Amino acid sequence: VLFVINIIKVMARFSSVLVCLLAAKSASAFAPPSSRLTHDVARPSALQMSTDSEAKEPVKVGVIGCGRIGIVHLGAINKAPGVRPIVVSNPTVSKAENAAKTFGVPKFTSDAMEVIEDPEVDAVWICSPSQFHADQIKACAANGKHVFCEKPIATDLAETVEAINACNEAGVKLMIGLQRRFDPNFLRVKKAIEDKEVGDPIIIKTCSRDPSPPPYEYVKGGGGIFNDMAVHDLDMTRFLAGEDPMEILAVGSCHIDKSIEDLPGSEAFDTATCIVRYPNGVNAMVDVCRQSSYGYDQRAEVLGNKGMIATDNVYPNTAKIYRNDFTGNADMPFDFFLSRYFEAYVTETEAFCESLVNDSEVPCTGVDGLIALVMSLAADKSAAENRWVKFSEIIEQVYCASPTECSLLVDSEVFPEGFKPVKTLSEMGTIVVPDVDAQKKEGSFMGKFKGMVGLKD
């Protein structure tokens, strides 16, 4: 009976969100707004979940971007207790209108700034393309809005620090969407490590292999295979290790799509391998490839001194075929990232909603997003220079004259007066001020920040 009840609960949780994949099927990329025009739509009546949070005023949120990811998050927001979406935006206003009608959102617009500046909005989900993230995060901070942002915060390290600090200075929450941390398979591996089910970790392995390579236009200007693909695996190794990494060795090659070989740097790679060194002699190995002939291959393995835990791929069903010439799964693994990680996207959205409603700590912070970027940039540098790269080599390039005025000092021997290079990831506090949750524990941060970076009053 308990099993049946649990199944019913799971079905109820996701049933209203299943329309997300269908609604997102033909979504296009985010582009600069063409005009400011907020529209109201009739909000249909709906039965609401009965929760303790109903006694409180609901947290009102807006969603920027009604493409595939935005639709998934919007569907989850619409069901989360204590949270209510009130406005959505998309430069193609018909997409925003369709999303508003589908999920009963009262307002829609073509202009992202109308979402950010809406006086009723408490928090904003940023689901636009990467090039808009940093500016939209800063705008949210300036308007006192809590922020959920899909990774990356920015592709530039200095701008990433500025965006994080803008939120921290404004006292608003910032959560970064690294959805694999919320996948039940990887979470079970994490639990096994924390509960010492396999002893102390020795080796961590992850792999990511896409069903088919993306088009040339996607790869060109995308930042390379480490930044747009391996970053998820690099972050997962840190999540599982529970420690900050020390250095990395990365190599790349091209085997699948020879047309990309003329692109610069790691954009010319469709296959790559990384080794990451962690404290206590723990090594992590990552391999990524833009094509897998047998479907979406996303697995993790941890070898400990008392055992091993490993995940399998996720299939549409558990059916198996048994014949004299074949024994195995009746169907291939999921071949689309939204299908494979649908539950993870929903869970991470619910986690941020819970943080907003209960004013609790966010489970994936701006610093988590920053360190993931540092790891991918170090991998890129390692592959280019064919050597081990310490992560301190990446982060010590950032100089901040103030929390929200940062720049990169690349290949420079001359540092501004008072600049103190960051040598390890554990010293990240010298360029990133405490977030709003940490401030509640530590008090004011401006004096501490000025002392860390050598600034005078």
Side-chain angles (χ1 to χ4, degrees):
V1 173
L2 289 176
F3 174 77
V4 173
I5 292 173
N6 288 332
I7 290 295
I8 292 172
K9 287 181 179 179
V10 171
M11 292 174 66
R13 179 187 176 200
F14 296 111
S15 60
S16 72
V17 197
L18 291 177
V19 71
C20 300
L21 294 178
L22 296 175
K25 187 175 182 181
S26 60
S28 62
F30 192 93
S34 57
S35 63
R36 284 194 167 207
L37 183 62
T38 303
H39 305 265
D40 293 334
V41 297
R43 183 180 179 87
S45 61
L47 293 176
Q48 298 297 320
M49 297 172 63
S50 177
T51 67
D52 293 337
S53 62
E54 288 182 340
K56 303 177 183 177
E57 183 71 19
V59 177
K60 298 175 182 178
V61 306
V63 176
I64 297 174
C66 295
R68 297 179 304 190
I69 296 298
I71 291 296
V72 171
H73 286 299
L74 182 56
I77 293 167
N78 205 45
K79 288 296 294 181
V83 179
R84 182 162 66 91
I86 65 168
V87 61
V88 296
S89 75
N90 200 82
T92 304
V93 72
S94 61
K95 295 183 181 296
E97 182 179 12
N98 289 337
K101 289 180 178 179
T102 300
F103 296 102
V105 180
K107 294 182 287 186
F108 64 92
T109 177
S110 63
D111 189 353
M113 285 305 299
E114 287 202 348
V115 176
I116 294 171
E117 294 176 348
D118 190 316
E120 292 188 278
V121 169
D122 301 307
V124 176
W125 261 252
I126 297 176
C127 305
S128 54
S130 302
Q131 64 266 34
F132 300 103
H133 288 183
D135 286 341
Q136 290 173 348
I137 291 173
K138 294 175 186 178
C140 286
N143 284 272
K145 314 296 187 186
H146 302 294
V147 185
F148 176 97
C149 184
E150 277 294 329
K151 73 89 188 168
I153 299 171
T155 54
D156 176 85
L157 196 59
E159 195 171 27
T160 299
V161 174
E162 288 178 349
I164 295 171
N165 282 340
C167 289
N168 295 350
E169 277 200 305
V172 298
K173 295 179 183 293
L174 172 63
M175 178 167 165
I176 303 305
L178 292 164
Q179 90 283 353
R180 295 190 192 184
R181 290 177 172 229
F182 300 88
D183 177 77
N185 299 284
F186 296 138
L187 282 173
R188 184 62 183 88
V189 176
K190 176 71 170 176
K191 184 178 186 299
I193 296 171
E194 292 177 339
D195 294 347
K196 299 292 185 181
E197 292 182 74
V198 294
D200 295 323
I202 300 171
I203 297 173
I204 299 170
K205 292 182 180 180
T206 72
C207 73
S208 286
R209 300 160 191 169
D210 289 347
S212 60
Y216 180 92
E217 292 73 21
Y218 173 89
V219 179
K220 183 178 180 181
I225 195 168
F226 301 109
N227 289 315
D228 77 358
M229 187 175 181
V231 63
H232 284 287
D233 293 85
L234 294 171
D235 175 69
M236 181 51 57
T237 67
R238 176 173 174 259
F239 179 66
L240 295 177
E243 299 273 4
D244 285 329
M246 300 182 296
E247 58 183 346
I248 190 169
L249 179 65
V251 294
S253 54
C254 183
H255 298 276
I256 309 300
D257 183 6
K258 295 296 183 179
S259 69
I260 66 173
E261 287 186 307
D262 65 338
L263 295 176
S266 63
E267 289 183 9
F269 302 153
D270 57 27
T271 306
T273 304
C274 306
I275 303 175
V276 185
R277 284 179 176 162
Y278 283 92
N280 302 316
V282 176
N283 289 324
M285 285 164 274
V286 168
D287 79 72
V288 295
C289 185
R290 294 199 186 275
Q291 178 171 290
S292 166
S293 60
Y294 50 89
Y296 206 19
D297 191 358
Q298 306 274 300
R299 290 172 288 131
E301 173 189 305
V302 174
L303 174 66
N305 57 5
K306 295 182 179 179
M308 183 194 78
I309 184 169
T311 67
D312 196 358
N313 287 313
V314 179
Y315 292 80
N317 54 68
T318 61
K320 295 183 181 296
I321 293 177
Y322 300 88
R323 296 198 311 252
N324 60 0
D325 60 345
F326 174 80
T327 297
N329 290 87
D331 295 299
M332 300 279 270
F334 282 119
D335 61 358
F336 186 44
F337 75 98
L338 280 181
S339 302
R340 168 62 181 83
Y341 287 110
F342 182 77
E343 183 176 355
Y345 280 113
V346 172
T347 303
E348 72 173 357
T349 297
E350 292 179 342
F352 189 51
C353 289
E354 182 178 348
S355 173
L356 295 174
V357 172
N358 300 322
D359 192 23
S360 55
E361 295 184 13
V362 300
C364 191
T365 67
V367 170
D368 290 325
L370 174 60
I371 294 178
L373 177 61
V374 168
M375 294 179 76
S376 66
L377 292 173
D380 202 278
K381 184 178 182 68
S382 173
E385 299 179 7
N386 195 30
R387 66 177 180 88
W388 284 92
V389 171
K390 295 183 182 298
F391 295 109
S392 59
E393 296 179 46
I394 305 299
I395 57 178
E396 69 184 4
Q397 297 173 357
V398 181
Y399 164 69
C400 294
S402 75
T404 54
E405 295 176 298
C406 300
S407 58
L408 292 178
L409 305 175
V410 181
D411 301 323
S412 174
E413 298 297 327
V414 180
F415 297 98
E417 182 181 357
F419 174 65
K420 296 180 180 180
V422 176
K423 292 300 183 184
T424 66
L425 290 176
S426 62
E427 296 175 355
M428 195 67 77
T430 61
I431 57 174
V432 177
V433 296
D435 63 34
V436 62
D437 296 315
Q439 289 174 40
K440 296 172 186 175
K441 303 175 182 178
E442 300 177 12
S444 175
F445 60 80
M446 277 308 301
K448 184 183 295 185
F449 175 82
K450 290 179 179 180
M452 286 178 174
V453 298
L455 294 176
K456 299 177 181 179
D457 291 326

